[in-house]
């Protein structure tokens, strides 16, 4: 209930009262009431009628009412009792605001009389409003560099209430960095302040949340709060930092370009530009690292920029830094240590330290000829190297402490292999392993360990006689498996004697190329063959040498005309031959004997009559034997003196000839029975019983020879089976026959059963104690019934041939071995058709057969010559007639004699003291005593 005092009305209500007074013209006293705000409607404020002294009964008549509608908004006046009540809730803060007092004027009007009564109603404050801040949240930005004690003003809280119901104090939530200070202004208002108690660290706490509370003085007290967010402003007070100051990473060798090594992650607790970092290489980073790696300034990523080679460097150190953008800028540093992992990317290497090149072929086995070093730039297993050598070589590899040695493992032979291609293979232990090849050409130097070797063990040369000196005979060729000076050959004639003169006087050999030249002109009639030893010597140290045999055969040329032995040429007054006129046709008149010093075909003689003869048709001459016979019976009108001219011609090309003139005196005496030549015989002479005996003896000897040959063959085969090189050859030709090879070779003349002279050559060559070799040569004209006993003849010295009287038994007489023999046949190496100087057998006509051997010819010519001599002196003891020495007419004087003076002096006639020389003397009228008697006896025996 309001009080009765009339409070001072507020201005608004004063205006209303004045207006009312103006209207009504009268104003009474003033009433004052108070009422609490927010009172419920109907709340009694006061009884105006009572306070004015009005009667309740008069109220209606006086029409008691409020003076304005504005007054009726908040209050109501009852006419029944004059009570003033609250019409609606009144909010003091909306009516009076922050004013300390709040008076609400109300006018009450009464009529009869009209009165205006002022009534002031004080609205009493009720603590119905809490303190409030202008914003429920507030942000404050304080630099972290703010000094402690710094004050920061805060917003004050507002409370519509007044008096004690207004804000009475402030409180701040607890905080170690801040405190609250409240100032009181002159008007009594409170002003809060935020005080910095400790330095701020944005990196430690960037935001501080504070709650400021304002509390009023009402009962109960009401409060209001606000949230204060203190944002700490950053300053660049932190340098960038790395998690680790040293980082260690691994990187494989040969990593591709662009490979990410790592990404740097530096931190800066600052914010903004103070915390924005840029990465770069530090000042201590080498240029090599800068070329090998790249660093992204924004992301801090490090990539491989170049080739990574473990062998170049297995460790890298990268200095990196991070710099912020603050003012001033701050930096952080770290070191990245990069370990490069090895990869097996390097093949091993083989280094030649020393090599003996060339190597002597006489180097002993086990000699070191080379030293090698091996290396591999890789490490660990990748750097372990083994060295191998190609197989099938006479070398081996021997490992040492820090190198390898190349040794000989087998004897070396330059002649077999002049050089070796050695391939060394180095392999490491990596996975996969790598290899390296080293190829070496190792030459083998020569030592003089091979003697020269001739292409042939025997050389044969032929030179026609009368060739001028300097003629090329042949070329001997030798080879030497060595090389250089060891193979530089020099040819020479090895000292030997030929007919008492050095061999070098006969031939000359070019020491450089082995060409052999004749030193003189050769005469076949004096020398038929030369046996020369040619030597070759190399230029090594010591020198080695070899020899070969050279047989030079002198080929006969037709340079000698036939020589007539009978009748003696040049004797113009020689006694004429006597011929009975009763001689029947075919009677032997005489025999022209001639010889030719040539050989072979050049010595084949033929006889013919020349037209210069007195009566060419009266006589005939045997083409081969030279026998002159009557062609018809002599007539009375034939001249008593006849001259027969015989032409003797050889078979050379061109042929040479001589003539022989025979003077004949025709007589009327009876002619003794004369033997007819076999050239004119129609039937061969009958053979005696001795032929049967000879056949039986020949069969017996043949059987014995077969048994002996079988035994020797078995021994030879056994020698071959035993591998005996020296005695294992029987009857085989050796490549290089020794000078004694034919020591037991000699021709032998035999007299056949029919009185003809046969020729046989026997060669006896003992090769060792177990085997013997025999060679027999028979004349192709020998008959099957002829048989002779043979003995080997020595050929140590050439000598004459003698005929012993006791050598002739019955009709099969054998020519015995003399104390000295003629030179051996020099054609032992050739078959009959290959012998030099002859052409083998001549296809003769039906009157005779040509000889087959030069020696055969010579010996038979000697026999014929002796026969001719006997015919001249009548002293023949060999039987037969007309000096034929028992020879068949087939073997006539056509067989030539090469060395006429030698044979005439050396041939001995059995049963007589005459030689060929003596026989010639007899023709000159110097016949020895007793010659005629011997001739008669021989004639009688022949007739029997």
């Amino acid at each position: 209930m309001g009080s009765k005092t009339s409070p001072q009305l507020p201005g608004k209500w004063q205006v209303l009262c004045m207006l009312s007074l103006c209207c009504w013209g009268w104003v009474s006293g003033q009433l004052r009431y108070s009422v609490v705000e927010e009172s419920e409607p109907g709340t009694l404020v006061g009884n105006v009628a009572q306070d004015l002294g009005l009667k309740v009964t008069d109220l209606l008549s006086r029409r008691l009412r409020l003076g304005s509608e504005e007054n009726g908004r908040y209050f109501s006046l009852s006419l029944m009792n004059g009570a003033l009540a609250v019409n609606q809730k009144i909010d003091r803060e909306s009516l009076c605001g922050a004013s300390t007092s709040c008076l609400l004027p109300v006018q009450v009007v009464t009529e009869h009389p009209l009165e205006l009564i002022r009534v002031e109603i004080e609205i009493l404050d009720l603590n119905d409003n809490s303190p409030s801040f202008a914003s429920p949240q507030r942000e404050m930005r304080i630099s972290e560099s703010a000094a402690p004690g710094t004050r920061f003003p805060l917003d004050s809280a507002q409370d519509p209430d007044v008096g004690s119901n207004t804000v009475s104090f402030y409180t701040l939530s607890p905080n170690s960095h801040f405190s609250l200070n409240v100032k009181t202004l002159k008007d009594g208002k409170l002003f809060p302040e935020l005080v910095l108690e400790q330095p701020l660290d944005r990196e430690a706490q960037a935001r501080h949340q504070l709650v400021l509370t304002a509390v009023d003085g009402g009962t109960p007290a009401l409060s209001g709060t606000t949230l204060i967010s203190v944002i700490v402003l950053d300053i660049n007070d932190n340098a960038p930092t790395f998690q680790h100051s040293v980082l260690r990473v691994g990187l494989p060798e040969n990593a591709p370009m662009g490979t990410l090594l790592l990404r740097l992650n530096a931190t800066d607790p600052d914010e903004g530009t103070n915390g924005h970092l840029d990465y770069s290489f530090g000042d201590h980073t080498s240029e090599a690292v800068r070329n090998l790696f790249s660093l992204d300034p924004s992301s801090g990523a490090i990539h491989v920029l170049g080739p990574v080679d473990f062998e170049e460097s297995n460790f890298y150190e990268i200095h990196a830094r991070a710099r912020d953008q603050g003012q001033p800028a701050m930096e952080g540093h770290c070191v990245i240590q990069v370990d490069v992992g090895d990869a097996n990317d390097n093949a091993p290497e083989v280094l030649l330290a020393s090599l003996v090149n060339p190597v002597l072929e006489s180097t002993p086995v086990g000699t070191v000829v080379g030293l090698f070093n091996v290396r591999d730039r890789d490490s660990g297993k990748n750097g372990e190297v083994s060295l191998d050598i190609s197989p099938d070589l006479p070398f081996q590899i021997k490992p040492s402490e820090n190198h390898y040695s190349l040794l000989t493992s087998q004897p070396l032979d330059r002649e077999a292999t002049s050089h070796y291609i050695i391939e060394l293979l180095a392999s490491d232990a990596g996975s996969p392993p790598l290899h390296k090849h080293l190829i070496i050409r190792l030459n083998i130097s020569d030592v003089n360990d091979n003697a020269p070797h001739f292409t042939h063990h025997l050389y044969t040369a032929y030179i026609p006689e009368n060739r001028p000196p300097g003629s090329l005979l042949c070329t001997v060729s030798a080879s030497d498996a060595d090389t250089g000076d060891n193979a530089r050959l020099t040819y020479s004639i090895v000292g030997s004697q030929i007919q008492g003169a050095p061999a070098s006087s006969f031939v000359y050999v070019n020491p450089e190329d082995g060409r052999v030249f004749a030193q003189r002109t050769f005469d076949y009639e004096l020398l038929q063959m030369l046996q020369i030893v040619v030597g070759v010597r190399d230029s090594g140290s010591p020198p080695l040498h070899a020899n070969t045999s050279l047989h030079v055969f002198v080929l006969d040329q037709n340079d000698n005309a036939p020589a007539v032995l009978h009748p003696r040429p040049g004797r113009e007054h020689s006694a004429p031959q006597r011929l009975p006129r009763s001689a029947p046709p075919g009677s032997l008149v005489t025999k022209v004997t001639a010889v030719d010093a040539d050989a072979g075909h050049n010595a084949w003689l033929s006889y013919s009559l020349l037209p210069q003869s007195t009566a060419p048709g009266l006589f005939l001459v045997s083409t081969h034997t030279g026998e002159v016979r009557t062609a018809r019976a002599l007539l009375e009108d034939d001249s008593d003196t006849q001259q027969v001219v015989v032409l003797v011609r050889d078979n050379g090309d061109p042929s040479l000839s001589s003539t022989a003139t025979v003077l004949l005196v025709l007589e009327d005496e009876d002619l003794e029975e004369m033997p007819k030549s076999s050239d004119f015989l129609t039937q061969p002479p009958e053979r005696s019983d001795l032929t049967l005996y000879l056949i039986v003896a020949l069969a017996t000897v043949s059987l014995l020879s077969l048994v002996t040959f079988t035994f020797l063959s078995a021994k030879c085969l056994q020698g071959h089976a035993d591998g005996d090189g020296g005695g294992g050859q029987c009857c085989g030709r050796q490549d290089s026959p020794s000078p004694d090879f034919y020591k037991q070779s000699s021709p032998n003349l035999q007299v056949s059963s029919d009185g003809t002279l046969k020729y046989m050559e026997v060669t006896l060559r003992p090769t060792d104690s177990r085997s013997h070799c025999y060679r027999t040569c028979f004349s192709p004209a020998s008959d099957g019934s002829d048989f002779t006993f043979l003995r080997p003849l020595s050929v140590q010295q050439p000598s004459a041939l003698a005929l012993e009287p006791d050598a002739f038994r019955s009709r099969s007489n054998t020519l015995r071995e003399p104390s000295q023999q003629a030179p051996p046949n020099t054609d032992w190496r050739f078959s009959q058709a290959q012998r030099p100087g002859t052409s083998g057998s001549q296809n003769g006509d039906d009157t005779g057969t040509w000889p087959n051997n030069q020696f055969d010819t010579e010996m038979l010519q000697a026999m014929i010559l002796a026969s001719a001599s006997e015919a001249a002196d009548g002293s023949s003891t060999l039987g037969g007639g007309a000096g034929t020495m028992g020879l068949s007419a087939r073997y006539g004087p056509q067989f030539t004699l090469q060395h006429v003076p030698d044979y005439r002096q050396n041939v001995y006639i059995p049963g007589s003291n005459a030689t060929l020389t003596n026989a010639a003397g007899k023709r000159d009228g110097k016949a020895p005593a007793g010659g005629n008697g011997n001739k008669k006896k021989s004639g009688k025996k022949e007739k029997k």
Side-chain angles (χ1 to χ4, degrees):
M1 176 153 312
S3 64
K4 294 181 179 181
T5 59
S6 298
Q8 185 177 359
L9 296 172
K12 180 179 178 180
W13 291 98
Q14 291 178 358
V15 173
L16 291 174
C17 289
M18 291 180 68
L19 290 173
S20 297
L21 290 176
C22 290
C23 294
W24 298 95
W26 182 82
V27 177
S28 63
Q30 182 173 6
L31 297 175
R32 187 170 187 176
Y33 299 98
S34 62
V35 64
V36 180
E37 64 173 335
E38 300 296 333
S39 295
E40 293 294 331
T43 300
L44 179 63
V45 177
N47 194 325
V48 176
Q50 184 179 354
D51 291 335
L52 288 177
L54 295 177
K55 294 179 180 180
V56 176
T57 59
D58 292 337
L59 293 178
L60 185 59
S61 59
R62 295 196 67 177
R63 298 184 61 182
L64 183 68
R65 61 178 186 278
L66 296 177
S68 62
E69 293 181 359
E70 181 67 24
N71 293 332
R73 177 182 178 185
Y74 297 104
F75 301 101
S76 63
L77 183 61
S78 174
L79 290 178
M80 295 301 293
N81 54 12
L84 183 62
V86 177
N87 191 30
Q88 63 177 9
K89 288 183 177 181
I90 301 173
D91 186 9
R92 179 186 177 281
E93 290 75 24
S94 61
L95 291 176
C96 299
S99 178
T100 303
S101 64
C102 180
L103 296 176
L104 184 63
V106 175
Q107 294 176 354
V108 176
V109 178
T110 63
E111 297 179 1
H112 307 292
L114 180 62
E115 293 181 50
L116 179 61
I117 303 166
R118 291 186 302 172
V119 180
E120 291 183 353
I121 300 173
E122 181 181 6
I123 305 301
L124 299 177
D125 184 38
L126 181 66
N127 194 17
D128 59 346
N129 291 286
S130 299
S132 63
F133 292 91
S135 174
Q137 293 183 354
R138 179 185 176 184
E139 287 187 355
M140 296 182 65
R141 297 181 180 274
I142 302 175
S143 174
E144 61 178 331
S145 60
T150 304
R151 297 173 182 268
F152 303 95
L154 300 176
D155 293 336
S156 297
Q158 300 297 324
D159 194 340
D161 295 330
V162 296
S164 60
N165 291 332
T166 189
V167 177
S168 61
F169 62 90
Y170 288 93
T171 59
L172 185 65
S173 59
N175 190 275
S176 60
H177 292 82
F178 297 96
S179 65
L180 182 64
N181 181 46
V182 181
K183 289 182 178 182
T184 302
L185 301 179
K186 292 180 179 182
D187 57 359
K189 290 183 179 181
L190 301 178
F191 184 73
E193 291 178 337
L194 190 63
V195 180
L196 181 63
E197 298 292 339
Q198 295 181 6
L200 296 177
D201 186 359
R202 193 203 66 80
E203 291 73 33
Q205 187 174 357
R207 182 185 291 267
H208 296 270
Q209 300 289 342
L210 302 176
V211 178
L212 178 62
T213 303
V215 181
D216 59 17
T219 301
L222 299 177
S223 61
T225 59
T226 183
L227 180 62
I228 301 174
S229 295
V230 179
I231 297 175
V232 183
L233 298 179
D234 183 50
I235 62 173
N236 195 23
D237 58 344
N238 291 280
T241 58
F242 292 92
Q243 184 177 3
H244 301 283
S245 60
V246 177
L247 299 174
R248 197 173 190 94
V249 296
L251 180 65
E253 184 181 11
N254 302 322
M257 294 179 60
T259 301
L260 177 64
L261 178 65
L262 82 163
R263 191 182 300 274
L264 296 177
N265 188 18
T267 58
D268 191 334
D270 295 328
E271 65 178 358
T273 57
N274 296 330
H276 185 76
L277 303 180
D278 292 328
Y279 297 94
S280 62
F281 289 116
D283 296 334
H284 299 290
T285 303
S286 64
E287 189 65 25
V289 173
R290 295 174 185 267
N291 295 331
L292 189 60
F293 299 98
S294 65
L295 176 58
D296 189 278
S298 299
S299 63
I302 300 177
H303 293 85
V304 176
L305 186 61
V308 180
D309 190 356
F310 174 86
E311 290 69 37
E312 182 176 343
S313 178
N314 60 356
F315 177 80
Y316 294 96
E317 193 170 75
I318 304 174
H319 295 267
R321 67 184 172 192
R323 176 180 293 177
D324 59 26
Q325 298 180 2
Q327 294 295 332
M330 304 188 73
E331 296 178 350
H333 299 271
C334 76
V335 177
I336 300 100
Q337 295 178 346
V338 181
D339 293 320
V340 179
D342 183 39
N344 192 23
D345 60 339
N346 289 279
E349 298 180 68
V350 183
L351 305 177
L352 176 61
S354 177
L355 181 65
V356 179
N357 195 3
V359 178
L360 287 174
E361 62 176 325
S362 59
T363 300
V365 175
T367 302
V368 177
V369 297
L371 296 176
F372 300 90
N373 294 325
V374 295
R375 69 180 183 184
D376 195 319
R377 298 180 62 191
D378 297 325
S379 61
K381 287 289 186 181
N382 298 331
E384 295 180 3
V385 182
S386 61
L387 187 63
D388 299 313
I389 190 173
S390 51
D392 302 329
L393 291 177
F395 300 95
Q396 63 180 358
I397 286 292
K398 181 179 180 181
S400 300
E401 182 177 355
N402 55 359
H403 66 274
Y404 285 85
S405 301
L406 178 64
L407 298 86
T408 58
S409 60
Q410 298 176 17
L412 303 178
D413 187 1
R414 191 207 65 81
E415 290 70 38
T417 304
S418 61
H419 68 275
Y420 291 93
I421 302 300
I422 302 175
E423 181 177 0
L424 299 178
L425 176 63
S427 305
D428 59 26
S431 180
L434 298 179
H435 308 280
K436 182 62 176 289
H437 295 265
L438 177 64
I439 297 178
I440 300 173
R441 178 188 174 99
L442 189 61
N443 297 316
I444 308 301
S445 61
D446 185 50
V447 296
N448 195 23
D449 57 345
N450 290 277
H453 177 74
F454 279 98
T455 306
H456 303 287
H457 294 287
L458 177 63
Y459 287 85
T460 302
Y462 302 93
I463 180 172
E465 62 176 332
N466 304 323
R467 278 285 181 90
S471 299
L472 178 64
L473 298 178
C474 67
T475 300
V476 295
S477 176
S479 61
D480 195 320
D482 296 323
T483 185
D485 287 342
N486 297 330
R488 186 161 54 86
L489 304 180
T490 302
Y491 299 90
S492 63
I493 300 295
V494 179
S496 61
Q497 296 288 325
I498 299 177
Q499 294 183 349
S504 59
S505 65
F506 287 85
V507 295
Y508 164 78
V509 60
N510 190 312
E512 296 181 357
D513 55 18
R515 290 185 299 169
V516 182
F517 299 91
Q519 288 278 69
R520 60 173 63 179
T521 300
F522 295 101
D523 188 354
Y524 177 83
E525 287 71 37
L526 300 178
L527 182 64
Q528 292 80 39
M529 187 189 74
L530 292 82
Q531 294 186 357
I532 301 170
V533 178
V534 180
V536 63
R537 181 184 300 269
D538 59 28
S539 301
S541 179
L544 301 177
H545 61 85
N547 295 335
T548 188
S549 296
L550 170 62
H551 289 177
V552 179
F553 291 94
V554 181
L555 302 180
D556 181 48
Q557 300 295 310
N558 193 25
D559 58 346
N560 291 280
V564 178
L565 300 180
H566 177 79
R568 291 293 298 273
R571 297 180 61 179
E572 299 178 356
H573 305 287
S574 60
Q577 299 278 348
R578 292 174 298 170
L579 177 64
R581 287 184 175 271
S582 61
S587 298
L588 177 63
V589 176
T590 186
K591 185 173 185 178
V592 178
T593 303
V595 294
D596 196 320
D598 296 323
H601 289 274
N602 297 328
W604 291 358
L605 303 180
S606 60
Y607 301 86
S608 60
L609 289 178
L610 291 179
Q612 290 82 354
S613 300
T614 304
L618 180 59
F619 302 98
L620 294 175
V621 61
S622 175
T623 303
H624 299 299
T625 63
E627 294 179 352
V628 180
R629 295 180 179 272
T630 57
R632 57 179 175 80
L634 297 177
L635 303 177
E636 291 296 332
D637 56 352
D638 289 332
S639 175
D640 294 339
T641 301
Q642 296 289 333
Q643 177 179 321
V644 180
V645 181
V646 179
L647 176 66
V648 183
R649 184 187 301 274
D650 59 26
N651 198 40
D653 186 17
S655 62
L656 301 178
S657 61
S658 299
T659 59
T661 301
V662 180
L663 297 178
L664 297 177
V665 176
L666 302 182
E667 298 179 350
D668 295 332
E669 298 179 359
D670 294 335
L671 182 63
E672 297 180 358
E673 182 180 356
M674 301 176 60
K676 294 185 179 181
S677 172
S678 61
D679 293 339
F680 300 93
L681 294 179
T682 57
Q683 295 181 355
E686 296 182 0
R687 303 182 185 274
S688 64
D689 294 338
L690 182 60
T691 302
L692 178 62
Y693 303 148
L694 292 177
I695 294 175
V696 174
L698 179 61
T700 304
V701 174
S702 299
L703 180 61
L704 293 176
S705 299
L706 179 61
V707 173
T708 304
F709 178 75
T710 305
F711 175 75
L712 293 177
S713 299
K715 296 293 287 183
C716 289
L717 294 177
Q718 181 179 1
H720 280 294
D722 295 339
D724 186 357
Q729 294 181 356
C730 183
C731 302
R733 175 184 174 182
Q734 298 181 354
D735 292 336
S736 179
S738 63
D740 298 334
F741 183 80
Y742 292 102
K743 279 190 175 181
Q744 300 297 329
S745 177
S746 176
N748 213 346
L749 291 175
Q750 311 296 334
V751 180
S752 64
S753 58
D754 60 354
T756 61
L757 185 65
K758 302 298 180 181
Y759 168 74
M760 177 178 291
E761 180 180 306
V762 178
T763 298
L764 302 178
R765 180 175 58 84
T767 57
D768 56 17
S769 60
R770 296 177 299 172
S771 61
H772 299 278
C773 188
Y774 301 92
R775 183 164 70 92
T776 60
C777 300
F778 298 94
S779 172
S782 61
D783 294 333
S785 62
D786 294 339
F787 176 81
T788 58
F789 296 95
L790 306 177
R791 289 186 298 171
L793 302 180
S794 174
V795 293
Q796 296 290 340
Q797 299 177 356
S799 61
L801 177 66
L803 302 177
E804 300 178 2
D806 59 350
F808 298 91
R809 295 179 176 88
S810 183
R811 297 182 62 186
S812 177
N813 298 320
T814 302
L815 191 62
R816 300 297 301 269
E817 175 183 356
S819 59
Q820 294 180 343
Q821 293 96 26
N825 177 30
T826 58
D827 302 328
W828 48 267
R829 294 186 318 279
F830 303 93
S831 65
Q832 180 176 348
Q834 295 173 333
R835 294 189 176 102
T838 68
S839 60
S841 301
Q842 177 187 1
N843 296 326
D845 54 15
D846 56 352
T847 61
T849 303
W850 291 102
N852 304 297
N853 183 283
Q854 174 185 339
F855 192 78
D856 186 4
T857 303
E858 295 169 356
M859 298 300 296
L860 291 179
Q861 284 176 345
M863 300 297 295
I864 295 170
L865 183 59
S867 175
S869 299
E870 294 173 8
D873 58 12
S875 61
S876 175
T877 59
L878 299 178
T884 60
M885 203 171 58
L887 300 178
S888 170
R890 290 178 298 171
Y891 295 100
Q894 74 272 18
F895 302 118
T896 62
L897 180 64
Q898 294 188 10
H899 307 293
V900 175
D902 294 337
Y903 286 110
R904 292 177 60 196
Q905 295 173 6
N906 297 332
V907 175
Y908 170 72
I909 303 175
S912 174
N913 296 325
T915 62
L916 294 184
T917 305
N918 295 336
K922 293 177 182 179
R923 287 195 302 271
D924 295 334
K926 300 179 181 180
N932 295 332
N934 292 336
K935 180 178 179 181
K936 292 180 180 180
K937 295 179 180 179
S938 300
K940 294 179 180 179
K941 292 180 180 179
E942 183 66 26
K943 291 178 181 180
K944 292 179 181 180

